[in-house]
Amino acid sequence: MITIEITSFSLFFGLILGTISGLGKLSRKTIFRYPCIVYIDFIRGTPLLVQILLFYYGIPGLYSNATGNSLQIDPILAGIIVCSINSGAYIAEIVRGGIQSIDKGQMEAARSLGMNERLAMREIILPQAFRRIIPPLGNEFIALLKDSSLLAVIGVHELLKSGQLYISRTFAAFPVYIAVALMYLVLTIVISRIVAYSERRLGVSDRS
Amino acid sequence: MIEVKDLYKRFGELEVLKGISVDIKESEVVCVIGPSGSGKSTFLRCLNLLEMPTSGDIIIDGEKVTDKGTNINKIREEAGMVFQHFNLFPHKTTLQNVALAPIKVRKLTNEEAEKRAHDLLKKVGLEDKANVYPSALSGGQKQRVAIARALAMHPKVMLFDEPTSALDPEMVGDVLDVMKDLAQAGMTMVVVTHEMGFAREVGDRVLFMDDGVIVEQGTPEDIFSNAKHERTRSFLSKIL
């Protein structure tokens, strides 16, 4: 199912992108911090629908104007790229919040043992932060799953688009849209159960 | 061993340390007492550069650690720190808490580090707690693990920042016993404390700080029985 595929890939890449830019936003070095702030603010401050259209139609248009060649991006690939970039910005804020929620005594204790900042981050801060961000990450997963329906506008055959195609053959708008809605509902319920379960599993050692 | 010269520390408008100078000799146990807000903790935290002094010099083992080029991490490897709120790593077991820095920083093998950690846990009386997480320990046990964790780096000096202030009264004795053993074994120690009994019994020297300066220092006998300054006497009369 394309909806699940796009959502999962986007969450995966978004997590990588979000961790990097979330750390970047906390960096003391301006050259790391500013690009991350611009990226996060731009993505969070503009609608996903606009980002999709900009990427799918805008960039190939720019490319053909500049070079004279036409560029056709595969809609699914485009969908994964845009959704990854989009969720990366939201995950960046989640990661930043997670890191900042860790008591600063943890960093002090690690540094007082002679660990450098990078080592302390990797061994002490991030493992604790990742446990804390599982619930908001689950919310982001669910939001992303629902938002992936916007990819219907560039012709990705995800859940909503499949429904629309079915309606164009049968004209049964109400039952099909209801069915589509219920399928999203089932998916989001399953995801939130999985998140709740993994939260319990990881929480075992972390009752301080 | 540690030489502090004319140390100033300012947080924005607030001047916390106003010219601290003190020498600490090897194997000496120095207890720092004084009212809260007097700069005791800031002074201690400057010694391993958790706070960067605004001006002044700190020389540890002949090396000027306040110089720009100094490797701060190397200094901290030699100065173990014990915090008021323990700051154990909650996602790691007791054993891992103690063994982590020796493995990652001192590059010991896992076996060597774990052996060292087991020995230290035994020394602080917690060998049976090696595989539990900090959340399962009492405050006093946590603090003893924190001491073991700092000792695992084989530091030259141990810094204690009000190690018993967050503990239930019945837990304080166990932690102080561990610290006494350490002092008797010849460890150089700087202890910020409100435990006057400990300062009197174990301290070689007592510093009384108030308002960012060392008002008075001397042997426990000097300070507790023959304080020269009015401020020292009035502080002691309030807490003893």
Side-chain angles (χ1 to χ4, degrees):
Chain A
M1 212 141 122
I2 293 171
T3 292
I4 296 173
E5 186 188 319
I6 290 179
T7 310
S8 309
F9 273 113
S10 303
L11 191 79
F12 176 73
F13 291 118
L15 194 57
I16 295 172
L17 210 54
T19 305
I20 294 168
S21 46
L23 282 168
K25 195 173 171 180
L26 289 172
S27 171
R28 262 175 272 113
K29 296 205 176 80
T30 322
I31 43 162
F32 293 129
R33 198 172 64 238
Y34 278 179
C36 294
I37 291 175
V38 171
Y39 159 61
I40 294 166
D41 286 354
F42 179 80
I43 297 297
R44 281 164 38 106
T46 56
L48 178 57
L49 184 56
V50 175
Q51 290 164 17
I52 291 167
L53 295 172
L54 183 67
F55 188 81
Y56 189 67
Y57 296 115
I59 289 181
L62 210 61
Y63 179 81
S64 58
N65 282 350
T67 63
N69 301 320
S70 71
L71 174 72
Q72 182 62 46
I73 310 173
D74 175 59
I76 294 180
L77 183 65
I80 291 175
I81 293 173
V82 175
C83 287
S84 300
I85 293 174
N86 183 270
S87 67
Y90 288 93
I91 291 172
E93 289 294 279
I94 295 173
V95 169
R96 184 184 62 85
I99 290 171
Q100 285 180 328
S101 76
I102 304 297
D103 178 50
K104 76 179 185 5
Q106 291 289 310
M107 184 51 112
E108 286 185 352
R111 300 304 302 275
S112 79
L113 290 164
M115 293 187 206
N116 61 38
E117 198 161 9
R118 174 190 286 254
L119 187 60
M121 212 24 125
R122 199 181 67 211
E123 292 291 331
I124 306 303
I125 308 297
L126 285 179
Q128 294 182 60
F130 270 115
R131 278 168 213 208
R132 276 191 204 176
I133 68 177
I134 284 174
L137 221 48
N139 292 341
E140 177 56 26
F141 195 5
I142 288 168
L144 193 62
L145 183 96
K146 292 184 294 179
D147 287 349
S148 70
S149 63
L150 290 169
L151 293 171
V153 298
I154 58 168
V156 177
H157 283 233
E158 43 68 70
L159 191 48
L160 178 62
K161 184 75 182 173
S162 312
Q164 287 175 330
L165 291 173
Y166 193 70
I167 293 167
S168 67
R169 287 204 304 273
T170 61
F171 303 103
F174 185 77
V176 175
Y177 279 132
I178 280 288
V180 167
L182 288 177
M183 282 165 90
Y184 278 112
L185 185 62
V186 168
L187 286 173
T188 53
I189 289 173
V190 169
I191 293 168
S192 52
R193 286 287 148 81
I194 293 171
V195 171
Y197 173 75
S198 53
E199 209 180 317
R200 271 202 307 279
R201 283 290 306 273
L202 280 167
V204 173
S205 64
D206 202 24
R207 287 169 282 125
S208 60
Chain B
M1 174 170 186
I2 302 178
E3 212 178 313
V4 180
K5 283 184 192 160
D6 212 23
L7 192 70
Y8 282 80
K9 174 67 188 180
R10 179 192 293 277
F11 293 106
E13 288 292 290
L14 188 70
E15 195 159 50
V16 182
L17 299 179
K18 303 168 183 170
I20 304 275
S21 296
V22 65
D23 278 343
I24 295 162
K25 291 188 283 295
E26 190 155 354
S27 296
E28 195 177 16
V29 177
V30 176
C31 293
V32 185
I33 62 170
S36 45
S38 59
K40 314 180 294 284
S41 288
T42 307
F43 164 63
L44 192 76
R45 290 161 61 86
C46 280
L47 292 181
N48 73 349
L49 303 177
L50 276 181
E51 304 291 352
M52 262 301 172
T54 310
S55 68
D57 289 323
I58 300 171
I59 297 152
I60 299 180
D61 258 353
E63 194 179 358
K64 204 187 223 183
V65 302
T66 35
D67 275 353
K68 278 248 179 302
T70 321
N71 184 343
I72 296 178
N73 295 322
K74 284 276 168 241
I75 303 301
R76 292 185 179 140
E77 286 174 31
E78 306 303 336
M81 177 110 181
V82 176
F83 299 87
Q84 183 177 356
H85 296 287
F86 333 125
N87 298 349
L88 291 181
F89 307 134
H91 61 303
K92 300 206 176 277
T93 64
T94 301
L95 189 75
Q96 289 166 340
N97 261 278
V98 182
L100 181 72
I103 294 169
K104 297 289 176 185
V105 180
R106 292 272 197 227
K107 307 293 178 198
L108 262 59
T109 64
N110 286 0
E111 293 75 44
E112 288 170 327
E114 279 174 21
K115 185 182 178 302
R116 187 184 280 188
H118 275 298
D119 291 347
L120 283 166
L121 287 175
K122 195 169 181 179
K123 199 161 146 187
V124 298
L126 292 170
E127 54 202 309
D128 53 328
K129 302 284 186 191
N131 295 315
V132 307
Y133 286 92
S135 55
L137 300 175
S138 72
Q141 291 171 332
K142 282 182 192 167
Q143 196 59 299
R144 284 184 280 155
V145 173
I147 293 171
R149 179 176 69 175
L151 287 174
M153 290 296 284
H154 288 174
K156 292 186 184 135
V157 53
M158 286 283 284
L159 310 173
F160 294 85
D161 190 2
E162 302 194 19
T164 57
S165 297
L167 299 179
D168 292 337
E170 73 266 29
M171 306 281 181
V172 171
D174 292 340
V175 172
L176 291 181
D177 285 344
V178 169
M179 291 169 64
K180 267 180 223 167
D181 289 347
L182 209 52
Q184 268 148 22
M187 176 62 80
T188 311
M189 292 162 62
V190 184
V191 187
V192 170
T193 186
H194 293 295
E195 292 294 328
M196 297 304 146
F198 177 83
R200 191 191 285 255
E201 189 184 340
V202 186
D204 295 314
R205 183 154 45 124
V206 175
L207 309 184
F208 171 70
M209 279 182 72
D210 193 11
D211 201 22
V213 295
I214 296 174
V215 176
E216 187 166 2
Q217 56 175 301
T219 62
E221 181 67 19
D222 290 341
I223 299 292
F224 291 113
S225 312
N226 305 302
K228 292 183 191 66
H229 285 77
E230 179 52 38
R231 274 198 278 175
T232 317
R233 280 198 298 270
S234 101
F235 171 72
L236 289 172
S237 72
K238 268 180 226 150
I239 55 161
L240 288 179

